[in-house]
Amino acid sequence: MLQTVFVTALTLVSALALALVYGLGGFYALRGQLDPGSVVAMAMLLTRLYAPLTALASARMDVMSALVSFERVFEILDLTPLIREIPDAKPVPDGPVAVEVRDVGFAYPSADKVSLASLEEVAVLDSRGGETVLHDVSFRVEPGEMVALVGSSGAGKSTIAQLIPRLYDVDTGTVLLSDTDVRTLTADSIRATVGLVTQDGHLFHDTVRGNLLLARPEATEEQVWDALRRARLDELIRSLPTGLDTVVGERGYRLSGGERQRLTIARLLLAQPRVVILDEATAHLDSTSEAAVQEALTEALAARTSIVIAHRLSTIRAADQILVVEAGRIVERGGHQELLAAGGRYAELYRTQFADSGPKSSANMPILQP
Ligand SMILES: Nc1ncnc2c1ncn2[C@@H]1O[C@H](COP(=O)(O)OP(=O)(O)O)[C@@H](O)[C@H]1O
Ligand SMILES: [Mg+2]
């Protein structure tokens, strides 16, 4: 608005001045007191003066808008992260890792706690936060064991998965890695220890190689190809004109959902973390590639502490322990046969989800959670 007023005023002033020069100058020129050439020269000089004046006015505007942008940038820089490392944080102890979730209660932080003041005016905020989504969740995964989480959509399975690598802090209770509270561990060592593959694996606007090396910067060309081969992605990458140097696009939009998922699985295979969490990691794959990737994952999971969510029946059966999560609580736990015999929620889920598919056709098995 300021700029509009300024420019309009300036235009008006210069137009009036020009009219004055021609009017008055013309009058004197007709009376012979002034030379016509001088009048025209004066008018020209006046228009030449106008251009730098406008530039000066808009420079002021540029400075003003830059200042506003600065304010926004500093607002983000000044934002204190919710998760902060304590000053004398220690790395995760060496050796096999046990994961324990002890009496955990958790609510997602409400939007006003995590968003920026200047964004609140323009964006519609997610109003879901603040409600408790986990109540008294406790379980322990011994080193090398596999625990499966099953339950209906919205039960809180992904939330549990996100608490283990400390993406959020719990409200009550504790999450422990190797019997150490994650809040006393360094963020870098947690990231190196826990590998999480989510349903919509995140890729950066970088090359295939760049995305893979994030998991393990010192990996050799051979190791990268080996991970791609085990994730059944090597043929596709080889067929691309620029191979490993293909840029995947923002969030990986140039790849299909299944390819994106296989690339994040390749990243996990390359990273070889001591704890593996799979949150519906094979949900976007068709049954043929799922069966193939499943083999690679079984290999990757062997002898690792692992937590797997909503899977094909064959994976759930292989688990050392099955936890049934409903409305933020663990309602049942035990082995497959044991839970089936108990005739509770698990048996119900089993009947509705796997009713017509026997264990032999497990590759075509519908996933437990759609
Ligand atoms: N970022 C978030 N902010 C607020 N609430 C969330 C967020 N993510 C999930 N929720 C809520 O937490 C509950 C559990 O979600 P989630 O753990 O994703 O379920 P599941 O993985 O079992 O389907 C749901 O009620 C969901 O609406
Ligand atoms: Mg989920």
Side-chain angles (χ1 to χ4, degrees):
M1 272 175 70
L2 266 178
Q3 179 153 29
T4 315
V5 169
F6 215 84
V7 169
T8 314
L10 215 63
T11 316
L12 191 71
V13 168
S14 94
L16 286 177
L18 207 60
L20 197 72
V21 167
Y22 277 126
L24 219 63
F27 175 73
Y28 285 119
L30 282 179
R31 285 179 48 173
Q33 284 168 317
L34 205 68
D35 167 14
S38 307
V39 178
V40 175
M42 243 165 86
M44 288 306 289
L45 286 176
L46 205 65
T47 35
R48 291 289 288 274
L49 193 67
Y50 176 63
L53 271 180
T54 329
L56 212 62
S58 55
R60 203 183 104 88
M61 292 307 141
D62 287 345
V63 170
M64 297 281 276
S65 48
L67 283 181
V68 174
S69 308
F70 266 125
E71 232 169 78
R72 295 270 163 98
V73 169
F74 283 120
E75 199 179 351
I76 290 176
L77 291 181
D78 288 344
L79 196 71
T80 42
L82 286 177
I83 306 296
R84 265 176 303 174
E85 217 173 82
I86 58 163
D88 54 347
K90 292 179 186 59
V92 180
D94 287 334
V97 183
V99 174
E100 184 169 355
V101 170
R102 199 183 283 167
D103 306 323
V104 161
F106 175 72
Y108 280 99
S110 56
D112 54 319
K113 278 200 206 114
V114 286
S115 76
L116 295 172
S118 58
L119 285 181
E120 272 167 34
E121 293 159 17
V122 289
V124 180
L125 291 181
D126 190 334
S127 57
R128 288 183 301 172
E131 246 170 74
T132 308
V133 292
L134 294 181
H135 312 264
D136 291 325
V137 172
S138 297
F139 64 90
R140 186 178 163 90
V141 193
E142 295 299 339
E145 258 189 14
M146 182 205 276
V147 161
L149 295 178
V150 297
S152 42
S153 184
K157 304 180 297 295
S158 300
T159 309
I160 295 175
Q162 289 176 47
L163 291 179
I164 293 164
R166 200 186 175 201
L167 298 187
Y168 291 99
D169 267 337
V170 294
D171 295 324
T172 57
T174 1
V175 174
L176 305 108
L177 290 175
S178 284
D179 298 306
T180 324
D181 191 335
V182 288
R183 284 170 293 202
T184 65
L185 295 170
T186 59
D188 283 347
S189 75
I190 295 177
R191 281 174 211 145
T193 306
V194 183
L196 172 66
V197 177
T198 56
Q199 197 168 0
D200 49 352
H202 191 96
L203 296 179
F204 290 94
H205 185 55
D206 196 351
T207 59
V208 171
R209 188 202 310 276
N211 270 293
L212 286 172
L213 289 185
L214 279 176
R216 198 164 141 206
E218 77 287 354
T220 63
E221 194 81 1
E222 243 168 77
Q223 289 167 326
V224 169
W225 280 110
D226 185 52
L228 284 173
R229 189 180 47 72
R230 287 196 286 154
R232 306 297 184 272
L233 205 63
D234 53 334
E235 270 168 44
L236 176 92
I237 303 291
R238 243 186 272 278
S239 73
L240 296 172
T242 45
L244 279 178
D245 295 311
T246 309
V247 175
V248 298
E250 197 65 53
R251 284 180 168 253
Y253 73 87
R254 284 178 208 156
L255 302 176
S256 77
E259 289 160 2
R260 207 156 49 219
Q261 206 159 38
R262 275 182 283 164
L263 194 55
T264 52
I265 289 171
R267 193 156 63 182
L268 177 88
L269 294 173
L270 192 63
Q272 302 186 328
R274 285 181 282 167
V275 178
V276 175
I277 304 172
L278 303 177
D279 187 354
E280 296 173 57
T282 52
H284 286 310
L285 302 182
D286 56 69
S287 44
T288 332
S289 49
E290 191 191 336
V293 170
Q294 196 70 46
E295 267 170 45
L297 279 178
T298 313
E299 192 186 320
L301 292 183
R304 290 215 155 76
T305 312
S306 50
I307 296 166
V308 284
I309 298 179
H311 257 234
R312 301 178 312 148
L313 183 62
S314 60
T315 321
I316 297 172
R317 277 190 164 170
D320 296 292
Q321 194 179 184
I322 300 167
L323 306 176
V324 184
V325 186
E326 281 311 333
R329 289 173 208 278
I330 295 180
V331 292
E332 279 172 35
R333 61 179 82 207
H336 173 73
Q337 293 302 341
E338 184 189 336
L339 287 180
L340 217 51
R345 180 76 187 120
Y346 181 75
E348 191 183 324
L349 274 172
Y350 177 80
R351 266 200 312 279
T352 52
Q353 310 284 337
F354 306 120
D356 349 296
S357 31
K360 276 193 208 91
S361 62
S362 59
N364 300 317
M365 197 75 69
I367 47 165
L368 199 54
Q369 176 192 354

